[in-house]
Amino acid sequence: MTKLADGEWHRLHPATPLLKGGIAFIAILGVIIANLRERIVEFFFPAFVCPDEFCDWEQDPMSRLLEQNLILVLLGVAVVLVLIIAGFWLSWRMHTFRVTDEVVEVRSGILFRTHRKARLDRVQGVNINRPFLARLVGAAKLEITGAGAEANMELAYLSSANADGLRSEVLRRASGIREQAAVARAVADGELPPEVLAPAAVEGENHAGLSDFARQRLAELTAPELDPNLAPPESVVKMDAGRLVGSTALSSSMIFLVVAIVVAVVLGFTTDISFGVVFAIVPMVLGIGTYLVSRVLKSLRYTIAATPDGVRVGYGLLSTANETLPPGRIHGVQVTQELLWRPFDWWTVQVNLASQMSVSQAANGAQQNTTVLPVGSREDVIRVLELVLPEVVDGDSRERILAAFGRPTPEDDFTTSPRRAAVFRWFSWRRNGFRVTPEAVLLRKGAIWRTLSIVPTARIQSVAAHQGPIARAMGLAEGRIHTVQGPLVAAVGALDVRDVERLFRDASSEAVGAISRDRTHRWRAV
Amino acid sequence: MTDTTAPAESPRLDPVAGEWRRVSPKYLTIDLISNLIWTVIMVGVAVVAVVIFEWPPLGWLLPAGLAVIFLTYAALTPRRVRAIGYMLRDDDLLFRTGIMFRRIVAVPYGRMQLVDINRGPLARAVGLAELKLVTAAAATAVTIPGLPFDEAEQLRDHLVAVAETRRAGL
C-alpha cells in the first residue's frame, strides 16, 4: 500500500511546475538576466569597468536598448516573469490531494480555490500517462476518470512508482474490498450469518482468480513495498509491427491520401489549373500523414492484459499511456473491418466508455483511447473480447460470435432485414440485423465495411424504436440501443416493423433484468 | 428473418400494448400560441425583407410559403399532441411521440441520472410543466411536455424514488 493513500493531504511531484510549462519561463528569464548582467553590475558598481574585449558596448544590442530606455521595459518583463514563475511554484504549493477509503479529494487554486471530491465507487478507470519530458525526471500523470464531461481528477505529476502504487490502491478501494472486509467483521461479530461471506469468496475467484487474490494478500503481508500488480502482466495479444504498418497502409484514410496525391499530380501536369489549387492539398496530405504516422508510433508498443482490477491497455513508444478499465465500465464494443483488410482477416476493436476526456486534454489535441485493439486477427479479437466483455463472450458463445463477424449464415440466429429492405441496404440486407441474448444485444451491419456492435444489456441506458413515413409505407422500422457517447452508435435500420418491435421489447426487458443483477461496480465485493 | 416481400399486416410501429397516459389538453393551446408567435416573427421578417430590398413580386412567395408551412404545422398540432404519451411500467418508463416520424423510447428506472422540471412563461400561465429525463446517454432525450404542475412533481418524486431503489452501477 502506497503512503499516498493514507488519508493525509499530499503534494504533487516537485518537478510539476517545471513540467507544466514553468521551464519555458525560466529559460526566457535566464536569457534576459544573462544579457542584463554586465549592465546591472556596471550600474551598481560604476568603479568596475568591463574590459573592452568582453564588453564591446557599441556592438552590444543592449546599448541600443539602453539608449531608448528600453532597459526599463526589459526589467519590467523580467519582473513579470519572476512573478509568473512564483505563481507556478505557489500553485504547486497550493495543489494538494488526499485519498481516503471512500473518496478522492483535490484542492487547488491560488486566488480561486477549488475543492473537488469524488467517490471511489464511481471511478470509471485510472489512466497513467508518461509524456516524454516527464519520463526523463521519473514523473507520471495519473488521471482518475469519472462518468461525464469534466468529471476527471488529474494528478499531474506524481513520481512514477507512486503513480503505479496509487493506481492499484484506488482501484482496490473502488472494487469494494473494504465493504467485503466490513462484512467479514460483521460475521465475526455475529451480526450477520456466515452464509453472507460464501458468495464473496466465489465472486473473488470468478473475477480475479483465487490464487491471484491470495498471492496479492500474501505479498502485501510479507513485502508491503512490493505489489505483484506492479509487474506488467503478459499481454494477451502480440502486436506485430509488420501487420500494424500493413494495416495502416491499407486503411481507408491511406487510400484517400494516395488518391488525393494522384489526382493532384495528374491535375498539376495535364491541365492548366493553377498550382494554388494543387497546393491546397498539401496541408491535407500533411495532416493525414501525421495522423497515420502517429497511429503507427502509438500502437507499436501496444499491450492488453487482465489484472485483478480490470483490463489494462498500454500504448506508446516515446510518451507512454496506460489505462486500467475496471469491470463493467465498458458500455459497448465495436468490431470493424476495413475493406482491404479482408484478405488478411484483420479487425479493429473500439469501445464506448462513460469517462470523457477533460477539456484541457482535448485542447491539447489528445485522442481518447477508445481503441482497445488497433489491428488483430479474428483470434486476437476474440481474446480481447473475452477480456473486455467476460460476461458476454465465454466458451459457449465464442463460436457464435466468431461466426457473426463474417458472412451471415442461416444458423447464426440473427434477425435480418427482409428482402424488400434491399432498396435501403443494397448489399447488406442479408447481413443487416440483430440478436438479443440475456447478456448482450448484438447488432451487425454492412457488407462492405463490416461492423459488429455488442452492447452488454447491463450497460444499456435506454432503448428506442423509430419509424418515418417511407419506412412505414414499406413496413420497416429502425431500432436503437442508447449507450454513452463513443465510436459505437448502436442503431440498425431497415428491419421489418414486427422485428423492431420484438427488438424493442426484448432489449428493454433484458436491460431491466441485467441492471438488477449487475454487481460490477463492486467487482470484488459481495 | 421475415421472408415475405409483402409488407406486414399493419405497418405501424407499435411495440407495446397498454394504457398510454396523454399530456394535458391545455398543452395544445400553448403549442398553438408558441407556433403563432413564431409564424408572426418569421412571416414578418420575410415581409420586411421583401419590402426593404424591393424584391420582384415573386418574392412574396417566401412569406406566403412560410405562412402555409406554419399553418399546416398548426393544423397537425392536435393530432401531434395526442400522439405524445408515456407509460409507467414496473421497471421502466416508456415515452412515445410523433405521427409521421414515430419514436418510442424505454428508459429503465435504474438508469435515470437526473429528473428536471422546466416551466416556460407560457406553460406557467396555464399551470403546466415539462419533465426531462437524463441518462448517461445523450440520445435518450426524453422530455415529456404539457404535464399539469402537480402531476409533474408527483411523477418526478416517483421516478427519483424508484430510480434510487433500482440504482446499480452506471
Side-chain angles (χ1 to χ4, degrees):
Chain A
M1 173 165 155
T2 162
K3 70 169 180 28
L4 286 181
D6 55 4
E8 298 296 318
W9 291 98
H10 290 282
R11 290 216 175 82
L12 299 167
H13 194 280
T16 300
L18 299 182
L19 293 170
K20 279 195 170 163
I23 202 158
F25 290 100
I26 290 185
I28 298 171
L29 186 70
V31 169
I32 292 179
I33 289 178
N35 281 297
L36 284 179
R37 196 187 54 217
E38 289 85 14
R39 290 293 163 155
I40 292 169
V41 167
E42 196 194 45
F43 184 76
F44 286 111
F45 306 100
F48 176 81
V49 176
C50 194
D52 268 355
E53 62 266 34
F54 286 113
C55 319
D56 186 1
W57 295 133
E58 299 307 314
Q59 297 295 311
D60 188 4
M62 276 293 165
S63 301
R64 238 162 293 146
L65 289 178
L66 201 61
E67 282 155 20
Q68 293 160 24
N69 272 339
L70 279 175
I71 195 82
L72 290 176
V73 176
L74 213 57
L75 274 173
V77 171
V79 169
V80 169
L81 280 173
V82 168
L83 285 179
I84 290 177
I85 291 162
F88 267 106
W89 183 80
L90 203 62
S91 102
W92 170 75
R93 283 281 301 180
M94 304 292 273
H95 197 140
T96 52
F97 69 95
R98 72 171 172 184
V99 181
T100 68
D101 293 352
E102 293 287 320
V103 293
V104 190
E105 284 177 84
V106 178
R107 292 191 301 199
S108 63
I110 304 169
L111 286 178
F112 298 94
R113 304 279 292 156
T114 58
H115 188 160
R116 174 170 269 203
K117 210 171 190 176
R119 289 188 57 80
L120 283 177
D121 58 358
R122 285 275 173 260
V123 167
Q124 296 289 317
V126 180
N127 306 342
I128 291 185
N129 279 293
R130 291 186 182 84
F132 187 59
L133 263 183
R135 270 173 88 189
L136 290 181
V137 294
K141 198 189 281 185
L142 183 105
E143 192 171 36
I144 300 169
T145 56
E150 294 294 301
N152 298 357
M153 310 260 274
E154 196 181 67
L155 299 177
Y157 292 80
L158 301 169
S159 75
S160 294
N162 277 344
D164 274 331
L166 191 60
R167 184 240 314 260
S168 61
E169 187 58 27
V170 164
L171 286 168
R172 202 174 69 79
R173 288 185 186 176
S175 72
I177 278 186
R178 298 267 159 181
E179 213 172 62
Q180 193 181 341
V183 171
R185 265 199 309 279
V187 170
D189 296 347
E191 287 170 17
L192 283 170
E195 289 85 23
V196 182
L197 212 52
V202 174
E203 197 76 2
E205 189 175 41
N206 279 348
H207 284 302
L210 195 59
S211 60
D212 269 352
F213 193 71
R215 210 169 54 230
Q216 192 193 348
R217 302 278 96 188
L218 200 66
E220 272 183 22
L221 283 175
T222 52
E225 74 280 359
L226 191 77
D227 186 344
N229 277 345
L230 299 186
E234 192 75 6
S235 175
V236 299
V237 176
K238 293 267 175 290
M239 188 47 67
D240 179 357
R243 185 204 284 169
L244 188 65
V245 173
S247 69
T248 309
L250 292 175
S251 68
S252 45
S253 39
M254 179 63 101
I255 293 162
F256 182 72
L257 182 70
V258 170
V259 169
I261 293 174
V262 168
V263 168
V265 168
V266 169
L267 282 183
F269 282 107
T270 57
T271 65
D272 47 353
I273 293 175
S274 72
F275 268 94
V277 177
V278 175
F279 274 98
I281 296 175
V282 170
M284 188 186 73
V285 168
L286 283 178
I288 300 177
T290 326
Y291 163 74
L292 291 173
V293 169
S294 78
R295 197 185 103 103
V296 170
L297 279 184
K298 224 179 81 167
S299 309
L300 264 179
R301 280 216 332 209
Y302 159 88
T303 59
I304 181 165
T307 71
D309 290 312
V311 181
R312 188 145 116 200
V313 186
Y315 271 109
L317 202 59
L318 291 176
S319 299
T320 65
N322 233 309
E323 190 164 13
T324 307
L325 302 166
R329 263 61 169 182
I330 288 160
H331 287 243
V333 179
Q334 177 166 275
V335 184
T336 49
Q337 186 177 48
E338 297 263 8
L339 181 61
L340 292 183
W341 289 5
R342 202 169 290 180
F344 310 95
D345 204 25
W346 288 337
W347 302 81
T348 186
V349 181
Q350 290 169 299
V351 291
N352 278 14
L353 304 172
S355 55
Q356 279 167 33
M357 255 187 332
S358 57
V359 172
S360 66
Q361 270 177 295
N364 289 338
Q367 260 182 310
Q368 189 171 25
N369 270 343
T370 50
T371 308
V372 294
L373 178 67
V375 59
S377 68
R378 219 173 263 235
E379 281 302 310
D380 293 341
V381 171
I382 280 289
R383 273 201 290 274
V384 168
L385 288 180
E386 277 171 344
L387 278 189
V388 298
L389 295 175
E391 68 277 17
V392 178
V393 185
D394 52 22
D396 299 336
S397 58
R398 203 187 140 95
E399 291 307 314
R400 305 176 69 170
I401 289 189
L402 260 176
F405 285 5
R407 285 184 173 284
T409 57
E411 302 87 49
D412 64 10
D413 264 0
F414 269 79
T415 307
T416 52
S417 296
R419 196 184 171 89
R420 62 177 188 278
V423 188
F424 301 111
R425 299 285 184 277
W426 292 0
F427 306 108
S428 67
W429 62 273
R430 284 183 206 82
R431 198 177 131 79
N432 188 61
F434 68 90
R435 178 150 71 90
V436 182
T437 72
E439 292 81 29
V441 178
L442 284 81
L443 304 178
R444 192 176 61 180
K445 284 184 290 187
I448 297 170
W449 285 274
R450 288 172 171 172
T451 303
L452 175 71
S453 308
I454 307 171
V455 182
T457 44
R459 300 272 86 76
I460 291 176
Q461 298 296 321
S462 50
V463 182
H466 289 243
Q467 189 183 44
I470 299 171
R472 184 169 166 182
M474 310 259 312
L476 301 174
E478 183 184 2
R480 294 186 191 174
I481 310 294
H482 296 150
T483 77
V484 299
Q485 211 184 347
L488 154 69
V489 177
V492 58
L495 289 170
D496 185 85
V497 62
R498 295 285 95 80
D499 290 336
V500 170
E501 289 175 355
R502 199 159 49 77
L503 169 66
F504 182 85
R505 283 192 300 266
D506 291 355
S508 56
S509 70
E510 293 293 0
V512 166
I515 290 166
S516 62
R517 286 193 305 272
D518 182 38
R519 288 287 169 271
T520 42
H521 61 301
R522 286 286 190 207
W523 65 94
R524 282 209 213 158
V526 182
Chain B
M1 183 168 154
T2 319
D3 250 327
T4 50
T5 39
E9 55 280 11
S10 157
R12 212 169 116 102
L13 179 69
D14 193 14
V16 184
E19 214 34 51
W20 289 96
R21 283 160 83 170
R22 300 276 165 78
V23 303
S24 160
K26 285 189 219 155
Y27 177 65
L28 178 61
T29 332
I30 301 177
D31 203 291
L32 283 174
I33 293 173
S34 61
N35 183 24
L36 184 72
I37 294 172
W38 275 109
T39 311
V40 169
I41 293 174
M42 298 298 280
V43 174
V45 167
V47 167
V48 168
V50 171
V51 171
I52 288 182
F53 299 115
E54 293 173 358
W55 283 352
L58 220 59
W60 287 101
L61 280 178
L62 179 67
L66 280 173
V68 168
I69 290 171
F70 277 106
L71 285 177
T72 319
Y73 191 72
L76 286 172
T77 301
R79 182 72 187 78
R80 197 162 45 83
V81 169
R82 272 207 309 278
I84 302 172
Y86 67 95
M87 197 195 294
L88 296 170
R89 294 199 298 182
D90 288 346
D91 299 296
D92 55 2
L93 178 137
L94 297 186
F95 176 71
R96 65 157 201 209
T97 168
I99 344 161
M100 291 261 279
F101 295 87
R102 282 180 80 77
R103 174 172 192 259
I104 298 170
V105 190
V107 189
Y109 293 138
R111 284 291 174 251
M112 289 172 191
Q113 304 284 321
L114 288 173
V115 184
D116 277 348
I117 290 186
N118 298 318
R119 283 183 296 167
L122 273 178
R124 210 161 42 210
V126 292
L128 291 185
E130 70 173 30
L131 193 105
K132 192 174 161 196
L133 301 180
V134 179
T135 71
T140 301
V142 169
T143 308
I144 309 174
L147 295 172
F149 190 59
D150 295 348
E151 193 185 331
E153 288 212 309
Q154 278 168 22
L155 188 57
R156 179 194 56 195
D157 294 345
H158 173 71
L159 289 176
V160 169
V162 288
E164 199 47 53
T165 60
R166 288 166 174 81
R167 160 115 18 248
L170 194 62

